[in-house]
Amino acid sequence: MSTKNPHLDPEKFRDSLATVKEDGKRNWIYPKKVDGKFYKWRTYLSWILLAILFVGPFIKVGGRPYMLFNIFERKFIIFGAAFWPQDTHLLIFLLLIFFVFIILFTAVFGRVFCGWACPQTLFMEMVFRKIEYWIEGDANQQRKLDDMPWNGEKIRKKSLKLTIFVIISLLISHTVMAYLIGIDQVVEIVSQPPSENMAGFIGLMSFTGIFLFVFSWFREQACLVVCPYGRLQGVLLDANSINVTYDHVRGEPRAPIRKNKVEESPKGDCIDCGLCVQVCPTGIDIRNGVQMECVNCTACIDACDEVMEKVDRPLGLIRYASDTSILQKTQKLLTGRVKLYSFLLLILVGAFVALLATRDDLGATVTRFRGMTYQPRENGEISNLYEVTFINKTFEPQAITLEPEDKKYRLEVIGDQNWTLQGQSKFEGRFFVVTEGQNIKTNQDNVVLLLTQNGKVIDKIKTSFMGPIASN
């Protein structure tokens, strides 16, 4: 039996997307309905993940969202911990940890995330596709329906499908907005006329339109064209990465089963039925090797196992495996790359934990008022105007004060004298720093302001004080 890998055969080399025809037009994919153990496991997992996704905005701890990604106010709550713009370095570490974890996970397990946990795949294959099968039937029936002229049956089925798609898209858009601005604000938006909150209404309708477009028309193109993870796959994978893989050693040379005919030469286990291609949601032939479009959805595994069982041949002709395990019959997980990525991930996690443990609960930023230098007073004093921004990162009220460390300066607060910050709030104020003119020995002096939290000094903020040098 030949052990030649077919996807290395120049005659089988593919230089175009399966979803694009030779004339450049869209090749609409009609994946055949699949059933099998992997599909059932994916279905059960999708129920759990979708339940978590939709319930997430309603989960609150102490009256606060458990997860919030408010990019508009630059406020994030992740697993109950709040992050503000002053915590950008922590968010950068989180992104680095996530990125390195993705690299490590992909280097070992390929694109398992895409097929089993990616929201795009979950909604497309486990929600919208199931509805399409229910209304329009299997692949051949869908193809026939699309080719027929518009009549009562086609209008009825297409209208019903579109209506359900719009309802689900609305549900998804409201959930996404709840993660962005909080469930309470979403409830406020939907309970009022659109004119009362036009920005929120436009946002919800925009998200709805985007999701409807993606899941009703764009579909697998989101994975093939838009998703950056798919583009990175070719860089992150190697011969030891585990993917949905066709065992070309066992399957080649492929040939259909012919009754009452003696085979002149040994054939592989692949009977060239083409079911693995018919069930693929991205339209590829897995027998051509690991490809960029493969999202590891396991549909081809279920289809092939069903055929192998019918023809009384061993299961697993298409299975989770690496190129190395196919050729050498051994699987090596702890490669040099995996060890390096694991080491980097441990360092990043350790650094993040250390930074999180030493993070201040209260942030303060003091800047000189823009466009002003100093202000002389009639009594010989010199003042400088400042702006201050306080951010309470805790969930409890905090009483704060500012006072100069050097007693030759004093601080005069403008407006509200009570600087008490409510939990998870931001406060902006102004104040003067004042000193006697005779105390000024240089045009620009350094001033240290003591920041106190509930009567305890927690930080020293340095700023500058400008004024005319006192004459002798």
Side-chain angles (χ1 to χ4, degrees):
M1 182 182 297
S2 171
T3 60
K4 185 178 181 181
N5 191 337
H7 71 273
L8 298 180
D9 189 345
E11 296 181 359
K12 297 182 180 293
F13 180 74
R14 183 174 62 88
D15 60 355
S16 62
L17 291 174
T19 56
V20 179
K21 298 179 181 179
E22 292 184 359
D23 59 1
K25 295 181 179 179
R26 171 84 174 270
N27 181 28
W28 193 267
I29 302 298
Y30 296 92
K32 183 178 176 62
K33 190 175 182 180
V34 67
D35 191 19
K37 64 177 183 179
F38 283 106
Y39 186 77
K40 291 178 181 177
W41 292 346
R42 287 175 59 218
T43 300
Y44 300 148
L45 179 62
S46 69
W47 293 346
I48 297 173
L49 295 178
L50 290 175
I52 293 173
L53 177 67
F54 285 113
V55 172
F58 294 92
I59 300 176
K60 293 186 177 181
V61 178
R64 304 177 298 273
Y66 192 62
M67 299 289 285
L68 181 68
F69 305 93
N70 194 335
I71 59 177
F72 309 106
E73 298 178 4
R74 294 179 295 173
K75 175 184 176 182
F76 304 88
I77 300 178
I78 303 174
F79 302 125
F83 298 89
W84 289 82
Q86 286 75 8
D87 299 315
T88 301
H89 60 292
L90 292 175
L91 294 175
I92 290 175
F93 264 92
L94 269 179
L95 289 175
L96 285 174
I97 290 171
F98 176 75
F99 186 69
V100 174
F101 175 78
I102 288 294
I103 293 176
L104 172 61
F105 191 83
T106 305
V108 179
F109 299 108
R111 291 181 71 176
V112 172
F113 170 81
C114 294
W116 290 76
C118 176
Q120 164 70 19
T121 305
L122 289 178
F123 281 114
M124 187 67 252
E125 301 303 324
M126 297 300 167
V127 179
F128 289 89
R129 190 85 72 187
K130 286 179 179 290
I131 293 171
E132 202 164 54
Y133 288 141
W134 172 60
I135 297 175
E136 298 184 354
D138 209 342
N140 290 333
Q141 295 171 298
Q142 293 178 25
R143 193 179 288 107
K144 181 180 178 181
L145 182 67
D146 287 346
D147 291 340
M148 72 168 54
W150 286 96
N151 53 29
E153 178 188 3
K154 185 171 183 177
I155 293 174
R156 177 176 57 82
K157 289 185 176 181
K158 292 294 184 181
S159 299
L160 177 60
K161 185 180 78 169
L162 182 60
T163 300
I164 297 176
F165 279 13
V166 169
I167 293 173
I168 297 176
S169 298
L170 279 167
L171 182 61
I172 298 173
S173 66
H174 282 69
T175 302
V176 171
M177 284 292 286
Y179 277 107
L180 293 178
I181 62 176
I183 187 65
D184 295 334
Q185 291 195 39
V186 172
V187 171
E188 182 180 345
I189 292 173
V190 300
S191 61
Q192 296 176 346
S195 58
E196 295 294 325
N197 198 326
M198 188 57 66
F201 176 77
I202 293 175
L204 285 172
M205 292 302 100
S206 298
F207 276 126
T208 301
I210 291 172
F211 291 125
L212 180 62
F213 168 74
V214 168
F215 294 117
S216 64
W217 189 85
F218 203 54
R219 300 194 164 198
E220 73 282 342
Q221 302 299 311
C223 302
L224 309 185
V225 180
V226 177
C227 180
Y229 184 42
R231 308 282 73 74
L232 285 172
Q233 179 186 237
V235 178
L236 301 179
L237 299 181
D238 60 19
N240 293 302
S241 300
I242 298 175
N243 290 281
V244 172
T245 306
Y246 167 66
D247 189 342
H248 58 89
V249 175
R250 173 186 148 192
E252 299 297 318
R254 67 187 77 152
I257 295 178
R258 302 183 186 277
K259 294 183 179 180
N260 303 322
K261 183 176 180 180
V262 179
E263 299 290 347
E264 298 178 356
S265 60
K267 301 296 183 182
D269 281 353
C270 178
I271 64 172
D272 205 17
C273 63
L275 278 177
C276 57
V277 181
Q278 296 176 34
V279 300
C280 180
T282 59
I284 66 170
D285 188 343
I286 192 64
R287 296 171 297 179
N288 290 335
V290 177
Q291 296 156 70
M292 177 189 69
E293 300 99 314
C294 180
V295 294
N296 280 212
C297 70
T298 70
C300 55
I301 297 180
D302 285 328
C304 186
D305 281 350
E306 184 179 359
V307 172
M308 290 295 103
E309 190 173 9
K310 290 180 179 179
V311 298
D312 197 24
R313 295 182 182 180
L315 305 183
L317 180 60
I318 302 176
R319 62 183 185 273
Y320 276 117
S322 66
D323 286 342
T324 300
S325 67
I326 294 293
L327 294 172
Q328 302 178 7
K329 307 302 180 183
T330 59
Q331 177 65 50
K332 184 179 181 181
L333 292 179
L334 293 178
T335 62
R337 288 179 65 202
V338 172
K339 293 178 181 178
L340 176 61
Y341 295 150
S342 301
F343 179 70
L344 290 175
L345 185 61
L346 287 175
I347 292 178
L348 289 173
V349 170
F352 175 75
V353 171
L355 289 172
L356 193 62
T358 57
R359 184 180 70 148
D360 295 328
D361 293 333
L362 188 69
T365 303
V366 175
T367 58
R368 290 176 48 81
F369 194 80
R370 296 176 297 276
M372 297 184 67
T373 54
Y374 61 88
Q375 303 82 40
R377 298 186 175 184
E378 293 181 356
N379 58 2
E381 294 180 329
I382 302 296
S383 65
N384 282 200
L385 181 61
Y386 298 85
E387 292 178 311
V388 61
T389 301
F390 296 111
I391 294 181
N392 182 5
K393 302 175 186 177
T394 70
F395 298 101
E396 305 296 332
Q398 303 292 334
I400 56 176
T401 62
L402 275 177
E403 60 181 64
E405 185 179 43
D406 192 335
K407 298 305 179 182
K408 72 179 182 181
Y409 296 100
R410 75 174 188 275
L411 190 142
E412 296 178 355
V413 178
I414 300 176
D416 189 2
Q417 305 291 313
N418 181 21
W419 284 1
T420 299
L421 274 69
Q422 298 303 316
Q424 290 293 292
S425 65
K426 181 172 69 172
F427 173 82
E428 295 180 349
R430 296 179 183 177
F431 62 88
F432 285 107
V433 173
V434 186
T435 188
E436 296 287 343
Q438 61 188 12
N439 294 330
I440 301 176
K441 306 301 181 182
T442 178
N443 288 327
Q444 183 168 312
D445 195 9
N446 292 323
V447 177
V448 177
L449 302 176
L450 301 178
L451 175 64
T452 64
Q453 176 184 1
N454 299 325
K456 179 182 178 181
V457 177
I458 62 170
D459 195 11
K460 294 183 178 182
I461 303 173
K462 294 182 179 180
T463 186
S464 61
F465 185 91
M466 300 182 65
I469 298 176
S471 58
N472 294 329

